[in-house]
Amino acid sequence: MTMREFCEKIGMDEASIQQVEQFSIEDTVYTSYKRAFQEDKKRFFARLKEEENWHVFALVLYIRMAVEVYETFQEKEIADQVYFDTFSDFRIWNEECKKKYGICGLTECEWLSLPLELKIFRLGRLQFEPIRLEKAIETEKYTLPEGTKVLNVHIPEDGRLDIETCLDAFERAENFFQETFEAFVCESWLVSPKLKELLGEDSNIIKFMGLFENYGIVYPFRQAEQRVFGAIREQKEEYPEHTSLQRALKKYVLDGKEPGMGQGVRLRAEKRS
């Protein structure tokens, strides 16, 4: 697979693909970075930031590594669709970099290293990361002890949060990971119960939240402002009001309130019945 084929399959725009093709990383430099990635990630990430034009350097480096890891996906008999969907995060964060800095590249290099290590997979609308609970989760109905194997759910900024596509993603995850986990967990502003003060029951966000049982809210955590407005501003009156969600959240935070980051848990299907 060529780098162009990879970029096209994950949906990158032609202008970004051309920049990727034009940016050269010498083989000795690439090999050095690859070794550092495998042996000393802290140094790897620090070294990346030292590169001139490090955003685009990181994008090209990561794409080259992703092309190589395709062989591992094949060996594990993971479908091509899962491979390309998983690495579509490179496209999403490249678009974010262009929006924020006006240049092609990546910024969230620690986060985007996970698919390169096969530690996270996108299955339909959602991403799933196998982890063990660092602390027990207690709800009114059950307790998941510390160390329990779960799937950490992440929501890519990639279109509508349609409830049917989310349910399909959970089903895919149960088939993909099979019996290796007990529940889904999600820490996100999208599962904060406080959003019920902003949105109606017909909202996709509220429907998505309803798929989980809440077990806490983390404060202070301004993830909602970051995601809804694109950046956190200390002068909250400057937030845009282009959508109904922006208008509702702006009024909410101007009133001195904060949605925080919700913590939700959803048992796998056979354990819910």
Side-chain angles (χ1 to χ4, degrees):
M1 182 192 307
T2 66
M3 293 176 68
R4 170 170 278 275
E5 289 171 337
F6 173 88
C7 292
E8 290 176 344
K9 288 288 189 179
I10 66 171
M12 284 181 63
D13 63 282
E14 180 61 27
S16 293
I17 295 175
Q18 290 182 13
Q19 288 190 56
V20 167
E21 291 181 319
Q22 292 165 7
F23 194 96
S24 176
I25 299 177
E26 293 182 5
D27 288 346
T28 54
V29 175
Y30 174 74
T31 301
S32 175
Y33 266 100
K34 187 177 175 182
R35 186 182 303 114
F37 182 80
Q38 296 167 343
E39 299 175 357
D40 187 355
K41 286 193 179 57
K42 184 176 180 180
R43 173 59 186 149
F44 171 86
F45 294 128
R47 184 178 165 193
L48 263 182
K49 302 289 180 67
E50 296 170 358
E51 291 286 345
E52 184 177 4
N53 302 320
W54 74 266
H55 296 91
V56 67
F57 182 95
L59 177 61
V60 175
L61 177 67
Y62 273 40
I63 288 174
R64 190 166 171 178
M65 293 171 70
V67 170
E68 287 192 4
V69 87
Y70 175 63
E71 184 177 341
T72 305
F73 274 71
Q74 288 186 307
E75 291 171 354
K76 294 182 176 293
E77 299 183 342
I78 299 174
D80 282 2
Q81 188 65 55
V82 174
Y83 169 79
F84 290 118
D85 285 352
T86 295
F87 283 104
S88 67
D89 231 20
F90 288 8
R91 166 183 54 80
I92 293 171
W93 286 101
N94 176 53
E95 291 299 321
E96 180 66 19
C97 186
K98 290 195 295 183
K99 189 189 318 178
K100 191 171 184 179
Y101 299 108
I103 58 174
C104 179
L106 299 178
T107 55
E108 300 294 328
C109 294
E110 289 88 347
W111 164 252
L112 292 170
S113 71
L114 295 179
L116 293 170
E117 300 178 280
L118 281 73
K119 291 183 177 180
I120 193 169
F121 299 90
R122 180 166 179 174
L123 304 169
R125 181 63 182 87
L126 305 172
Q127 296 165 313
F128 301 92
E129 176 193 9
I131 62 171
R132 288 182 180 271
L133 292 179
E134 295 182 357
K135 295 193 303 183
I137 290 177
E138 296 185 8
T139 74
E140 294 180 356
K141 301 176 182 177
Y142 55 84
T143 297
L144 296 178
E146 177 184 342
T148 299
K149 293 180 180 180
V150 298
L151 293 183
N152 199 7
V153 180
H154 303 277
I155 309 100
E157 292 189 51
D158 192 22
R160 297 175 65 250
L161 196 64
D162 179 75
I163 194 67
E164 294 302 324
T165 60
C166 291
L167 288 170
D168 175 70
F170 285 121
E171 184 176 349
R172 292 191 195 190
E174 298 209 10
N175 292 329
F176 185 84
F177 293 98
Q178 299 185 12
E179 301 300 322
T180 60
F181 73 102
E182 299 295 313
F184 301 94
V185 296
C186 184
E187 292 193 353
S188 169
W189 71 277
L190 289 166
V191 294
S192 171
K194 294 294 183 180
L195 293 178
K196 293 179 182 178
E197 300 174 11
L198 303 174
L199 303 169
E201 293 182 359
D202 60 341
S203 162
N204 283 333
I205 293 176
I206 298 302
K207 291 177 182 178
F208 178 76
M209 184 194 310
L211 299 177
F212 297 87
E213 183 174 356
N214 177 263
Y215 65 93
I217 305 177
V218 178
Y219 297 106
F221 209 97
R222 300 173 66 182
Q223 186 187 56
E225 292 171 66
Q226 172 69 42
R227 295 292 185 262
V228 175
F229 301 116
I232 295 173
R233 300 184 186 181
E234 294 311 313
Q235 302 300 319
K236 298 177 182 178
E237 62 273 8
E238 296 179 358
Y239 280 141
E241 300 182 39
H242 302 311
T243 67
S244 57
L245 178 56
Q246 286 182 339
R247 290 189 291 273
L249 182 59
K250 180 176 180 178
K251 182 179 185 304
Y252 194 76
V253 298
L254 284 174
D255 287 341
K257 302 176 183 178
E258 180 189 345
M261 182 172 68
Q263 297 174 307
V265 58
R266 174 183 174 87
L267 295 179
R268 58 180 304 152
E270 67 267 23
K271 295 184 177 295
R272 294 200 309 273
S273 57

